[in-house]
Amino acid sequence: MRQIPAVETLRRIWMQQFYAPTEDGNVQWRSPKDMPPSTLAIHSPYDVEAHYSSKRSVDWVGYKVHLTETCDRDCPHFITGVCTTLSTISDDAVVESVHQSLSKKSLLPEEHLVDTGYVTADHIVNSQANYGIELLGKVRINPSWQTQNNSKFSAEQFEVDWDNQVVTCPKGHQSIIWRPKIDNRGLRVVHVHFSQADCRHCPVRKRCTHSKAARRLTLQPQAKYNALRQRRQVQETSEFKQLYQQRAGVEGTLSQGVRRSALRQSRYVGLAKTHLQHILIVTALNLVRLSAWLSAIPLAQTRYSRFMELKPQIA
């Protein structure tokens, strides 16, 4: 009987939820630290591929769907890509597969506006090199304490001479060690060390490092480092902010899918069938949008609450 899929599922659920029975036959619940991660745990006996996930204030058991749509002003906003994944897959992990799918259909855009969760230095460089796409999205700010305070010396204030493999600090001191390494995630990085003699007597040492030793920096490879540094500068400009406002349209697409087609409710069991459902929903939405465009129905504008309408507009 243990070869029956339903029995095997039940066995796995028991193993994930309970410790093995003791000699006297008692069974105990597992403590949270001994339970498997969401990527392995079965959260529904009816669908073993549906996993628990959480994003901001939303918790759910199921899947994720990633949509790509056009945003040209003179044509309907068609949805051109549908990517359904397990709920435990991070957003940045789907960028390559999305671009591959769009490439096969000859639907690659020149500019791809994406949310912060999809943007990494790798994707900025690889999207341009492999597909000729400019991946436009805000990158996360540097989390270091120096970056959080404008009076401190963050890594972006150090000048990097890649040809001579030397880094110069804001006070003019040059690094003494340039060491390429592989970090614990298997990624190539460069470790840079400064002289203790230079750092020990530096009058602005407290603005630069809390370490008792000299300041150390970890740099990504040149192409990724430059891409990340440039994006952090560009994303603060008014031109970028105005262009990036177009990405808000996909939020309306998700809302339309939820309201008209129950996008958040899977009618089927398993990832493959759920993906098919998403394709059918997107097909229906595209027909609705084509009909609206042919009927000259304008796009809906962003709705604001009565309270937000009182906010003064800044030109």
Side-chain angles (χ1 to χ4, degrees), residues 16 29 34 36 61 66 79 89 94 176 208 210 235 237 305:
Q16 294 171 4
W29 289 96
D34 288 337
V61 174
H66 308 265
I79 302 171
I89 301 298
V94 306
I176 59 173
C208 188
H210 288 158
Q235 69 188 26
T237 63
S305 66

Side-chain angles (χ1 to χ4, degrees), residues 160-222:
V160 183
D161 184 346
W162 294 94
D163 294 332
N164 297 314
Q165 299 185 346
V166 173
V167 177
T168 304
C169 79
K171 298 300 291 182
H173 301 299
Q174 293 187 334
S175 61
I176 59 173
I177 296 177
W178 178 286
R179 183 178 299 155
K181 297 190 69 175
I182 304 296
D183 66 9
N184 54 9
R185 297 174 297 171
L187 302 177
R188 294 173 56 194
V189 296
V190 176
H191 285 182
V192 176
H193 296 252
F194 286 84
S195 168
Q196 290 194 26
D198 290 334
C199 291
R200 185 181 301 115
H201 304 292
C202 182
V204 293
R205 174 186 175 86
K206 292 183 178 180
R207 295 172 56 191
C208 188
T209 180
H210 288 158
S211 173
K212 295 182 179 179
R215 178 72 186 263
R216 293 174 291 178
L217 297 177
T218 299
L219 308 177
Q220 297 192 58
Q222 183 176 0

Side-chain angles (χ1 to χ4, degrees), residues 27-76:
V27 177
Q28 294 182 339
W29 289 96
R30 286 184 178 271
S31 62
K33 67 176 182 179
D34 288 337
M35 297 181 71
S38 293
T39 52
L40 300 176
I42 297 176
H43 293 90
S44 170
Y46 304 104
D47 188 351
V48 296
E49 291 184 287
H51 297 289
Y52 168 82
S53 191
S54 176
K55 188 172 184 179
R56 291 187 284 272
S57 60
V58 179
D59 300 330
W60 78 97
V61 174
Y63 304 93
K64 279 184 182 179
V65 61
H66 308 265
L67 303 180
T68 307
E69 70 173 359
T70 60
C71 58
D72 297 314
R73 298 183 184 276
D74 56 348
C75 65

Side-chain angles (χ1 to χ4, degrees), residues 67 69 76-79 248-264 281-293 297-300 303:
L67 303 180
E69 70 173 359
H77 293 184
F78 287 130
I79 302 171
V250 78
E251 304 297 342
T253 295
L254 295 174
S255 177
Q256 185 185 34
V258 171
R259 289 182 290 106
R260 294 191 67 123
S261 306
L263 183 63
R264 287 181 178 156
I281 289 175
V282 164
T283 302
L285 293 180
N286 280 339
L287 291 175
V288 170
R289 293 179 175 202
L290 177 60
S291 175
W293 185 71
I297 300 175
L299 294 174
R303 296 183 178 90

Side-chain angles (χ1 to χ4, degrees), residues 2-47:
R2 67 180 302 171
Q3 304 301 322
I4 300 175
V7 175
E8 173 60 18
T9 298
L10 180 61
R11 184 187 70 84
R12 290 174 57 189
I13 292 175
W14 273 73
M15 288 181 60
Q16 294 171 4
Q17 300 293 332
F18 299 98
Y19 292 112
T22 59
E23 293 182 356
D24 56 5
N26 292 329
V27 177
Q28 294 182 339
W29 289 96
R30 286 184 178 271
S31 62
K33 67 176 182 179
D34 288 337
M35 297 181 71
S38 293
T39 52
L40 300 176
I42 297 176
H43 293 90
S44 170
Y46 304 104
D47 188 351

Side-chain angles (χ1 to χ4, degrees), residues 233-245:
Q233 295 172 349
V234 170
Q235 69 188 26
E236 299 302 324
T237 63
S238 58
E239 292 82 2
F240 179 90
K241 293 178 181 179
Q242 184 175 3
L243 173 63
Y244 192 63
Q245 286 179 352

